Amino acid sequence: MTDTQPPQSNLPPPRGPWTMLWHRLRKNKLAMSGAAILLVLYLISCFGGFIGPYGSNEINKYTVKYGPMLLGGYVIEKIDELIDEDENFEEIIRDTYIRKWEWFEGGVHFHDSDGNFTLRPHVHPLREYVSWDAYGETEYILAEDRSISVPVSFFVEGSEPHEIFSLCGFFPIKGLPHLMGIAAEDHPTGKDLHTGLFLLGTDILGRDLWTRILYGGQISLSVGLIGILISISIGLAIGGIAGYFGGLVDFWLMRLVELLLAIPGLYLILTLRYAIPDELSPRQTYMMIVAILAIVGWASIGRMIRGMVLSLRECEYALAARALGGSSTRVILRHLLPNTASIVIVTATLYVPYYILGEVALSFLGFGITEPDSSWGLLLKDCQGSEVLKYNPWLVTPGLFIFLAVLAYNFLGDGLRDAADPRAFLGVSRKEKS
Amino acid sequence: MPIEHPKEETMSLLLSQPGPQSPTSSGRGFVVTLLLVLSVLLLNPSSLLQGDDPPPRRVKIRRSLRQPEPEPDLTIPIGIPTPAFAGELPADAIVKNRTGTYGGRLVYAILGEVDTFNPVEPKGATDQEIRAIVFSGLVDYNNGNWQTGPEVAKSWDVSDDNLTWTFYLREGIRWSDGEPVTIDDALFSFQAVFHDQIATSIKDGFKHPETGALPQVSIDRDRNALIFQLSRVDSQFLTHIGNVRLIPYHKWKDHLQDENPTLLQQMTSNAPPEDLVGCGPFVLKNYVPGEKIVYQRNPYYWKKDARGQRLPYLDEVVILLVKDLNLQWQKFEAGELDIFMELPADHFREASAMEKAGKADLVRLGVSLNSNWVCFNLHPGKDAETGEPFVDPAKSYWFHELEFRKAVNHAIDRDGIQRTAFQGRATPIWSSITPGNRSWYHKGVPTYPHSIDKAKEYLDGLGWKDSDGDGVREDDQGRPIVFNLNTNVENNLRQQIGNLIMQDLRKVGIKVNFKPIIFNDLVTSLRDSHRWDMILLGWGSGVPPDPANGKNITLSSGRLHAWYPQQPEPATAWESRIDSLMTMMDAELDDIVRKKYYDEVQELIGQNIPILYLIAANSYCTSKTNRLGNLWPSLLRPQLTWNLETLWIRD
């Protein structure tokens, strides 16, 4: 049997088209960094419940709108002493405070209460001050108590079972541990002391923003992925049928596509949203958003597939398949659509950002994910109004994650397109030969 | 009392300018991604890094938030009015104890859009608010001292049986086109409102609650008086009279036909400005739909100040129609607006920073009259079409249990809501009348202070315990206590409150699914479809803030009787008692007795808590620093511009 084997050759083994695509993609640094960012984003979202130090909706009335501990901390400063009178006309001194942000002072630091350097990160507990103004109105101000340092522990047990791992909220694996957090026994006792590990700050209800971002990523990142899967499927089916059969079928299907494309996207999304009843569970809301985005998004993909199939069906192999008596279904599924695969993958990658942004827009406007769930668009909803940007700029961090994800998808998509381009193919192979 | 409209939300994220500061890193911090730092920096944290601080000072806290009446200052210059006044000053002119300088224009913004300028049928809140600028009534409500005072009528008297009211007209005053205001004009204005075929909400106030009969109007030319013959005693009669704004007989006499009157087609939003003849302080100069309304001085206005100078002082009033609160605020910050009324909670810090920088005066008006509440659906009815009950029988069973409602009330942490959602600038309330309402606030309303133990005690007492250990209690028939809570998605503040309530109830073993929905859907389900479990909403207050204005809420037959609206007959003994108390209030003119009646109403609602009042925010207004003279801020809308005729611009 050994003599039937092909003779040994010095040439590298022939590569399939996918290997070549991967090979070329790997050389594109931008695309690879995009892929790496996406991988990290998806991983931390899937393990969000574990990585985040808190539960997804763990409200803390005492830690509202505190700044990101990674970047520094607030200190308090006394401004005024005000004279007040109690019922017996006795004077009471009330203090007016303001708090100041100190960059890279306090926050997450590496020394213990005695000031000794340690490798274990520490945080200061937050103390609540009541600040009075000259009209007798009070305000609660939260700032660090720099005299105490609380160690950050790893693999601490949370108070309630939460998901350790889940695929965008589906198939959750539940458990107690958090990657890091502050162990219950380390919480300093004392009135007005509120300890927490708020790496990226807290939101308007005192919830840890980092945790919320992780949970929000499960939704925001998967909406794009599932949405594009659905609309690609619809697009492939409609585009394949229209392109293969041509004639009247093609004519009417393409008019339908044009109809969908003619309606401005956001308005179509909002109209569809209004058509769906409000009595939905969070899971249903999620599916609804995916469905809406997919319904709006398949048209241009379908049109593109149709164009490709139209040209592919005249190729020799397609003609041969038909001549040999292959059924329409078989020709479309086995011969035509597989040949659109590379372009479909590229398009899909480039389209995912629109789905992510679509979810963000819907949730931001209040038509998508609503409290108490989390999504990046919903988190951005808190940033409406100029005051937040002035005084609580860290609440915009979810926007940064959206930015990252969209950018990464675009890099990856661009890289994929270049890699799948047959003209680029020649150039690369020539270079390889020389 | 209308349902408080949701504040319009912005749809755009507006980034502020990059700040000049750069971080001073001491190297002790955690290593973070460069992007993160840069982006936070770009978003201008300059306000986090406060500059020079003033040294500590010692001031006495001034707790009285009552706004003092402005005092006249005879030394300020008089100035020259443009356009100048016309006609003679009437002998009967009202004398306002104010002084001011002529000239200048006042610019402010309102949220709505003009439906019509016709004062006979104002359609929305905006129409109500702006008609007072051009049209005056016989009497007028003074937002500053919360009293009704004479306006076009110089005085009035009431017969002993409280059924005949006589209003004596001021003589020698003129319309803005120069014609004299006569008793015929006054009669004509009331005939217009009372006309069979003119449907206006103003008329409803005059109607007898059962027979629908309207008062008989007649005139006495010798005494120059308008006489009303009532079929019942009506404590709110003066308010209703003030609601009717006078329109000129000589101009519109042909438009009040017996059949199909064409009066409502006049003075619409596209009518020429000179058609709007009134006897208010200003006349319409120019209206650009969707953009602005410009008013100029009514040259024939008939009030004078402490120095005998005619009013108003302002040459022009410009109202910008801005549909978005955030945009309005930016215009105020940029100096385009002179005043900003009803400061939203999320702009307080900016306003307070402007105050400290000397750019604006922040007026603290105390606790607002608007309440936030949650309410259980106690509707026992069934859907006429499907035959299904509006409320799931299990939920209905829980909600009707008084002990359950008490438990919920104890479980809600109002202080937590105050601290979190309002940053301390709010007050917990236990009744629809907030402490801001000095005349009607009642201290004796039962309170249910936050206590998880008490809440648990009540639930345990009902035998509703968590038998399967999932953290949710089951009722005595084993059904887990789970229901929905809705609020309007447009209002961020309410979403926060709803979230907090959900969390509070979770702690006592009640599971609430919190679902913010669109405002219009919410009102539809509240008023018409009745398919809801628990709702979080708010009442806005009317002017005057008399509880009689809230009858559509308090009466069991009321359309906004939230927990069970439009009852065919009172469902419970206490609701029946409330109905009769409200009727007694209507027939009583003595406010002390009326308050006693309403105190009992508040106590009854407090004891039976079909509706759980939560919190009232503090109310603030801002104006440019020292820009306006004779400002007399009021809690009642329009907070700063209700005395437009005496405001003047300092320059």
Side-chain angles (χ1 to χ4, degrees), chain B residues 43 83 121 132 158 178 187 250 260 280 306 309 364 426 519 527 536:
Chain B
L43 292 164
E121 194 204 14
V158 196
L187 180 65
H250 67 269
N260 303 322
Q309 300 294 326
R364 291 158 173 85
F519 182 72
R527 289 206 296 218
L536 165 64

Side-chain angles (χ1 to χ4, degrees), chain B residues 210-262:
Chain B
E210 275 123 44
T211 63
L214 290 164
Q216 302 291 318
V217 204
S218 56
I219 51 174
D220 182 343
R221 287 188 192 279
D222 301 335
R223 293 189 292 164
N224 201 22
L226 202 61
I227 301 157
F228 292 87
Q229 187 62 45
L230 277 62
S231 52
R232 54 149 184 161
V233 181
D234 181 4
S235 62
Q236 294 304 296
F237 187 64
L238 267 187
T239 307
H240 302 320
I241 290 286
N243 270 336
V244 178
R245 301 287 159 145
L246 302 190
I247 50 173
Y249 174 64
H250 67 269
K251 191 149 178 74
W252 306 117
K253 59 187 169 196
D254 300 333
H255 289 283
L256 197 66
Q257 303 92 332
D258 287 340
E259 285 300 317
N260 303 322
T262 48

Side-chain angles (χ1 to χ4, degrees), chain A residues 61 70 77 79-81 83-85 93 101 105 128 134-135 137 278 371 386-387 389-390, chain B residues 14 28 30 47 53 56-59 61-63 333 346-347 349-350 364 419 499 504 521 620:
Chain A
K61 286 164 187 162
L70 272 183
E77 191 165 303
I79 298 295
D80 290 341
E81 285 180 348
I83 305 160
D84 197 8
E85 276 172 0
I93 299 296
W101 181 256
E105 290 282 336
E128 187 181 67
Y135 301 89
E137 291 191 13
D278 270 308
E371 295 274 358
S386 44
E387 187 162 287
L389 294 178
K390 267 185 203 160
Chain B
L14 295 141
R28 277 203 291 156
F30 212 51
S47 40
D53 309 314
R57 53 181 183 141
R58 290 184 73 144
V59 203
I61 290 182
R62 189 170 68 84
R63 212 172 287 249
E333 246 186 338
D346 49 359
H347 289 301
R349 289 181 69 176
E350 286 171 287
R364 291 158 173 85
R419 168 192 301 266
N499 225 327
D504 286 339
D521 291 357
Y620 303 92

Side-chain angles (χ1 to χ4, degrees), chain A residues 176-315:
Chain A
L176 277 176
H178 288 287
L179 174 64
M180 52 179 151
I182 290 164
E185 63 269 19
D186 289 335
H187 277 260
T189 51
K191 203 174 161 287
D192 303 329
L193 272 186
H194 309 286
T195 316
L197 178 64
F198 307 121
L199 296 177
L200 296 183
T202 61
D203 71 356
I204 49 177
L205 288 176
R207 296 170 291 196
D208 178 38
L209 195 59
W210 172 231
T211 313
R212 297 276 292 167
I213 287 174
L214 292 171
Y215 276 98
Q218 296 186 349
I219 295 204
S220 293
L221 288 172
S222 64
V223 156
L225 224 50
I226 302 179
I228 201 79
L229 273 182
I230 298 177
S231 54
I232 289 266
S233 313
I234 304 178
L236 277 175
I238 304 274
I241 291 171
Y244 181 80
F245 292 106
L248 265 185
V249 179
D250 180 33
F251 178 83
W252 284 114
L253 284 176
M254 284 308 108
R255 295 301 83 75
L256 176 70
V257 164
E258 272 155 26
L259 193 79
L260 271 176
L261 286 176
I263 306 172
L266 189 61
Y267 291 97
L268 185 56
I269 290 175
L270 289 182
T271 317
L272 284 172
R273 178 64 188 88
Y274 269 114
I276 294 169
D278 270 308
E279 285 294 310
L280 295 177
S281 72
R283 188 57 52 82
Q284 285 169 320
T285 316
Y286 171 79
M287 293 318 292
M288 172 208 72
I289 291 172
V290 172
I292 286 179
L293 292 174
I295 288 169
V296 174
W298 68 265
S300 51
I301 298 173
R303 197 185 178 80
M304 195 195 61
I305 307 275
R306 173 251 184 194
M308 289 204 64
V309 172
L310 209 56
S311 67
L312 286 176
R313 73 167 182 170
E314 301 302 329
C315 289

Side-chain angles (χ1 to χ4, degrees), chain A residues 369-424:
Chain A
I369 306 288
T370 48
E371 295 274 358
D373 291 317
S374 174
S375 90
W376 290 349
L378 181 71
L379 292 177
L380 273 190
K381 197 169 186 286
D382 290 345
C383 304
Q384 294 179 350
S386 44
E387 187 162 287
V388 168
L389 294 178
K390 267 185 203 160
Y391 296 98
N392 316 105
W394 62 88
L395 288 179
V396 190
T397 338
L400 208 73
F401 281 81
I402 297 171
F403 170 78
L404 265 182
V406 169
L407 209 63
Y409 263 113
N410 277 323
F411 284 164
L412 182 62
D414 275 344
L416 275 172
R417 189 175 53 201
D418 290 347
D421 190 346
R423 271 159 297 183

Side-chain angles (χ1 to χ4, degrees), chain A residues 101-114:
Chain A
W101 181 256
E102 287 188 348
W103 287 101
F104 305 111
E105 290 282 336
V108 179
H109 57 269
F110 292 92
H111 58 79
D112 59 19
S113 291
D114 306 326

